[in-house]
Amino acid sequence: MSVQERKERERAERERLIVATARELAEQQGWDAVTTRRLAERIEYSQPVLYSHFRGKREIIGAVALQGATEMAAAVRAATSAADGPRARVTALARAYLDFAARNPAVYDALFQLDGGLAYAQEDTPEPLKDAFAALLETLDEVAGDGVHPGLFTEVFWAALHGLATLTRAGRLLPEDAEPRVELLVDRLAVL
């Protein structure tokens, strides 16, 4: 291995460490606790080293969001691939999405609540974000209904899931009604 390859590998490892540490700190204490000073202390590198990877917290949030989008897409695909039939796939998609949001609140915030400097629904949208949307579209395309644009239907279904995830996390919805909400969403929005 050349010196250049070793330096590139070490740089990539440092970047993964920064993102993993930011994510861990955000999950434990919230995004307000994530500062470059705190990250530098935790990973035992100087702040200038952090700034050589990311220009600031916003870019770190963006990196966590991209990682989270990849994980969410994988979770949705795994859940839907194990389901038999359109209704079961849509229900599995909804549960997987809501479970991901509940298990990864800081990542979910990085994806959908905080400014990570990422473009959404644009030409320059990063591939992991496009793929996360595609993971939803793959299942929802088949239940959009005649004359309904599948992408538009996916946006509306996603918005409903996001609302459920956000309101549930904020304690605005009764936890015991989580499953009936999923069933109602699937029954009323999807053409089965």
Coordinates of all heavy atoms in Angstrom, one line a residue, residues 27-69:
E27 N -27.8 11.2 19.5 CA -28.8 10.2 20.0 C -28.9 10.2 21.6 O -29.9 10.1 22.1 CB -28.5 8.8 19.5 CG -28.7 8.6 18.0 CD -30.2 8.6 17.6 OE1 -31.1 8.8 18.4 OE2 -30.4 8.5 16.3
Q28 N -27.7 10.4 22.2 CA -27.7 10.4 23.7 C -28.2 11.7 24.3 O -28.9 11.7 25.3 CB -26.3 10.2 24.2 CG -25.8 8.8 23.9 CD -24.3 8.7 24.2 OE1 -23.6 9.7 24.5 NE2 -23.7 7.5 24.2
Q29 N -27.8 12.9 23.7 CA -28.0 14.2 24.3 C -28.7 15.2 23.4 O -29.0 16.3 23.9 CB -26.7 14.8 24.8 CG -26.0 13.9 25.8 CD -24.6 14.5 26.2 OE1 -24.4 15.7 26.2 NE2 -23.7 13.6 26.5
G30 N -29.0 14.8 22.2 CA -29.7 15.8 21.3 C -28.6 16.5 20.4 O -27.4 16.6 20.8
W31 N -29.1 17.1 19.3 CA -28.2 17.8 18.4 C -27.6 19.0 19.0 O -26.5 19.4 18.6 CB -28.9 18.1 17.1 CG -28.9 16.9 16.2 CD1 -30.0 16.1 16.0 CD2 -27.8 16.4 15.5 NE1 -29.6 15.1 15.1 CE2 -28.2 15.2 14.8 CE3 -26.5 16.8 15.3 CZ2 -27.4 14.5 14.0 CZ3 -25.6 16.0 14.5 CH2 -26.1 14.9 13.9
D32 N -28.2 19.7 20.0 CA -27.6 20.8 20.6 C -26.3 20.5 21.3 O -25.4 21.3 21.5 CB -28.5 21.5 21.6 CG -29.7 22.2 20.9 OD1 -29.6 22.5 19.7 OD2 -30.7 22.5 21.6
A33 N -26.1 19.2 21.7 CA -24.9 18.8 22.4 C -23.8 18.6 21.5 O -22.6 18.4 21.9 CB -25.2 17.5 23.2
V34 N -24.1 18.5 20.2 CA -23.0 18.2 19.2 C -22.4 19.5 18.8 O -22.9 20.3 18.1 CB -23.6 17.5 17.9 CG1 -22.5 17.2 16.9 CG2 -24.3 16.2 18.3
T35 N -21.1 19.7 19.2 CA -20.3 20.8 18.9 C -19.0 20.3 18.4 O -18.6 19.2 18.7 CB -20.1 21.8 20.1 OG1 -19.3 21.1 21.1 CG2 -21.4 22.3 20.7
T36 N -18.3 21.1 17.6 CA -17.0 20.7 17.1 C -16.0 20.5 18.3 O -15.2 19.6 18.3 CB -16.4 21.7 16.1 OG1 -16.4 23.0 16.7 CG2 -17.2 21.6 14.8
R37 N -16.1 21.3 19.3 CA -15.3 21.2 20.5 C -15.5 19.8 21.2 O -14.6 19.1 21.5 CB -15.5 22.3 21.5 CG -14.6 22.3 22.7 CD -14.9 23.4 23.8 NE -16.3 23.3 24.2 CZ -16.8 22.4 25.1 NH1 -16.0 21.5 25.6 NH2 -18.0 22.5 25.5
R38 N -16.8 19.5 21.4 CA -17.1 18.3 22.1 C -16.7 17.1 21.2 O -16.2 16.1 21.7 CB -18.6 18.2 22.3 CG -18.9 17.7 23.7 CD -20.4 17.7 24.0 NE -20.6 18.4 25.2 CZ -21.7 19.0 25.5 NH1 -22.7 18.9 24.6 NH2 -21.9 19.7 26.6
L39 N -16.9 17.2 19.9 CA -16.5 16.1 19.0 C -15.0 15.9 19.0 O -14.5 14.8 19.1 CB -17.0 16.3 17.6 CG -18.5 16.1 17.3 CD1 -18.8 16.6 15.9 CD2 -18.9 14.7 17.5
A40 N -14.3 17.0 19.0 CA -12.8 16.9 19.0 C -12.3 16.2 20.3 O -11.4 15.4 20.2 CB -12.2 18.3 18.9
E41 N -13.0 16.6 21.4 CA -12.6 15.9 22.7 C -12.9 14.5 22.6 O -12.0 13.6 23.1 CB -13.3 16.6 23.8 CG -12.9 18.0 24.2 CD -13.8 18.6 25.2 OE1 -14.8 18.0 25.7 OE2 -13.5 19.8 25.5
R42 N -14.0 14.1 22.2 CA -14.4 12.7 22.2 C -13.6 11.8 21.2 O -13.3 10.6 21.6 CB -15.9 12.5 21.8 CG -16.8 12.9 22.9 CD -18.1 12.1 22.8 NE -18.9 12.4 24.0 CZ -20.0 11.8 24.3 NH1 -20.4 10.8 23.5 NH2 -20.7 12.1 25.3
I43 N -13.2 12.3 20.1 CA -12.4 11.5 19.2 C -10.9 11.7 19.3 O -10.2 11.0 18.6 CB -12.9 11.7 17.7 CG1 -12.5 13.1 17.2 CG2 -14.3 11.4 17.5 CD1 -12.7 13.4 15.8
E44 N -10.6 12.6 20.2 CA -9.2 12.9 20.5 C -8.4 13.4 19.3 O -7.3 13.0 19.1 CB -8.5 11.7 21.2 CG -9.2 11.3 22.5 CD -8.6 10.0 23.1 OE1 -7.9 9.3 22.4 OE2 -8.9 9.8 24.3
Y45 N -9.0 14.3 18.6 CA -8.3 15.0 17.5 C -8.6 16.5 17.8 O -9.6 16.9 18.5 CB -8.9 14.7 16.1 CG -8.4 13.3 15.6 CD1 -9.2 12.2 15.6 CD2 -7.1 13.2 15.1 CE1 -8.7 11.0 15.2 CE2 -6.7 12.0 14.6 CZ -7.5 10.9 14.6 OH -7.0 9.7 14.1
S46 N -7.8 17.4 17.2 CA -8.0 18.8 17.3 C -9.2 19.3 16.5 O -9.6 18.6 15.5 CB -6.8 19.6 16.9 OG -6.6 19.4 15.6
Q47 N -9.8 20.5 16.8 CA -10.8 21.0 16.0 C -10.4 21.3 14.6 O -11.2 21.0 13.7 CB -11.4 22.3 16.7 CG -12.3 22.0 17.9 CD -12.8 23.3 18.5 OE1 -12.1 24.1 18.9 NE2 -14.1 23.4 18.5
P48 N -9.2 21.7 14.3 CA -8.8 21.9 13.0 C -8.8 20.6 12.1 O -9.1 20.6 10.9 CB -7.3 22.4 13.1 CG -7.3 23.2 14.4 CD -8.2 22.3 15.3
V49 N -8.6 19.5 12.8 CA -8.7 18.2 12.1 C -10.2 18.0 11.7 O -10.5 17.6 10.6 CB -8.2 17.0 12.9 CG1 -8.6 15.7 12.3 CG2 -6.7 17.1 13.1
L50 N -11.1 18.3 12.6 CA -12.5 18.2 12.2 C -12.9 19.1 11.1 O -13.6 18.6 10.1 CB -13.4 18.5 13.4 CG -14.0 17.4 14.3 CD1 -12.9 16.7 15.1 CD2 -15.1 17.9 15.1
Y51 N -12.4 20.3 11.1 CA -12.6 21.2 10.0 C -12.0 20.9 8.7 O -12.4 21.3 7.7 CB -12.3 22.7 10.5 CG -13.2 23.3 11.4 CD1 -12.8 23.6 12.7 CD2 -14.6 23.5 11.1 CE1 -13.7 24.1 13.6 CE2 -15.5 24.0 12.0 CZ -15.0 24.3 13.3 OH -15.9 24.9 14.2
S52 N -11.0 20.0 8.8 CA -10.4 19.5 7.5 C -11.3 18.5 6.8 O -11.1 18.2 5.7 CB -9.0 18.9 7.8 OG -9.1 17.7 8.4
H53 N -12.3 18.0 7.6 CA -13.2 17.0 7.0 C -14.6 17.7 6.8 O -15.2 17.4 5.7 CB -13.5 15.8 8.0 CG -12.3 15.0 8.1 ND1 -12.1 13.9 7.3 CD2 -11.2 15.0 9.0 CE1 -10.9 13.3 7.6 NE2 -10.4 13.9 8.6
F54 N -15.0 18.5 7.7 CA -16.3 19.1 7.6 C -16.2 20.6 7.9 O -15.5 21.0 8.9 CB -17.3 18.5 8.6 CG -17.6 17.1 8.4 CD1 -16.9 16.1 9.1 CD2 -18.5 16.6 7.4 CE1 -17.1 14.7 8.9 CE2 -18.7 15.3 7.2 CZ -18.0 14.3 7.9
R55 N -16.9 21.5 7.2 CA -16.8 22.9 7.5 C -17.5 23.3 8.7 O -17.3 24.4 9.2 CB -17.3 23.7 6.3 CG -16.4 23.7 5.1 CD -16.9 24.5 4.0 NE -17.9 23.6 3.3 CZ -18.5 24.0 2.2 NH1 -18.4 25.2 1.7 NH2 -19.3 23.1 1.6
G56 N -18.3 22.4 9.3 CA -19.0 22.8 10.5 C -20.1 21.7 10.8 O -20.2 20.7 10.1
K57 N -20.9 22.0 11.8 CA -21.9 21.1 12.3 C -22.9 20.8 11.2 O -23.4 19.7 11.1 CB -22.6 21.8 13.5 CG -23.7 20.9 14.1 CD -24.2 21.6 15.4 CE -25.4 20.8 15.9 NZ -25.8 21.5 17.2
R58 N -23.3 21.8 10.4 CA -24.2 21.6 9.3 C -23.8 20.5 8.4 O -24.6 19.6 8.0 CB -24.4 22.9 8.5 CG -25.4 22.8 7.4 CD -25.5 24.2 6.7 NE -26.5 24.2 5.7 CZ -26.4 24.8 4.6 NH1 -25.3 25.5 4.3 NH2 -27.4 24.8 3.7
E59 N -22.6 20.4 8.0 CA -22.1 19.4 7.1 C -22.1 18.0 7.8 O -22.3 17.0 7.2 CB -20.7 19.7 6.5 CG -20.8 20.7 5.4 CD -19.4 20.9 4.7 OE1 -18.4 20.2 5.1 OE2 -19.3 21.8 3.9
I60 N -21.8 18.0 9.1 CA -21.8 16.8 9.9 C -23.3 16.3 10.0 O -23.5 15.1 9.8 CB -21.2 17.0 11.3 CG1 -19.8 17.4 11.2 CG2 -21.5 15.8 12.2 CD1 -19.1 17.9 12.5
I61 N -24.2 17.2 10.2 CA -25.6 16.8 10.1 C -26.0 16.2 8.8 O -26.6 15.1 8.7 CB -26.5 18.0 10.5 CG1 -26.4 18.3 11.9 CG2 -28.0 17.6 10.1 CD1 -27.1 19.7 12.3
G62 N -25.5 16.8 7.7 CA -25.7 16.3 6.4 C -25.1 14.9 6.2 O -25.8 14.0 5.6
A63 N -24.0 14.6 6.7 CA -23.3 13.3 6.6 C -24.1 12.3 7.4 O -24.3 11.1 6.9 CB -21.9 13.4 7.1
V64 N -24.6 12.6 8.5 CA -25.5 11.7 9.3 C -26.8 11.4 8.6 O -27.2 10.3 8.5 CB -25.7 12.3 10.7 CG1 -26.8 11.5 11.5 CG2 -24.4 12.3 11.6
A65 N -27.3 12.5 7.9 CA -28.6 12.3 7.2 C -28.3 11.3 6.0 O -29.2 10.5 5.8 CB -29.0 13.6 6.7
L66 N -27.3 11.5 5.3 CA -27.0 10.6 4.2 C -26.8 9.1 4.6 O -27.3 8.2 4.0 CB -25.8 11.0 3.4 CG -25.9 12.4 2.7 CD1 -24.6 12.8 2.0 CD2 -27.1 12.3 1.7
Q67 N -26.1 9.0 5.7 CA -26.0 7.6 6.3 C -27.3 7.1 6.7 O -27.7 5.9 6.5 CB -25.0 7.7 7.5 CG -24.6 6.4 8.1 CD -23.7 6.6 9.3 OE1 -24.1 7.1 10.4 NE2 -22.4 6.3 9.1
G68 N -28.1 7.9 7.3 CA -29.5 7.5 7.8 C -30.4 7.2 6.6 O -31.2 6.2 6.7
A69 N -30.3 7.9 5.5 CA -31.1 7.6 4.3 C -30.8 6.2 3.8 O -31.7 5.5 3.4 CB -30.9 8.7 3.3

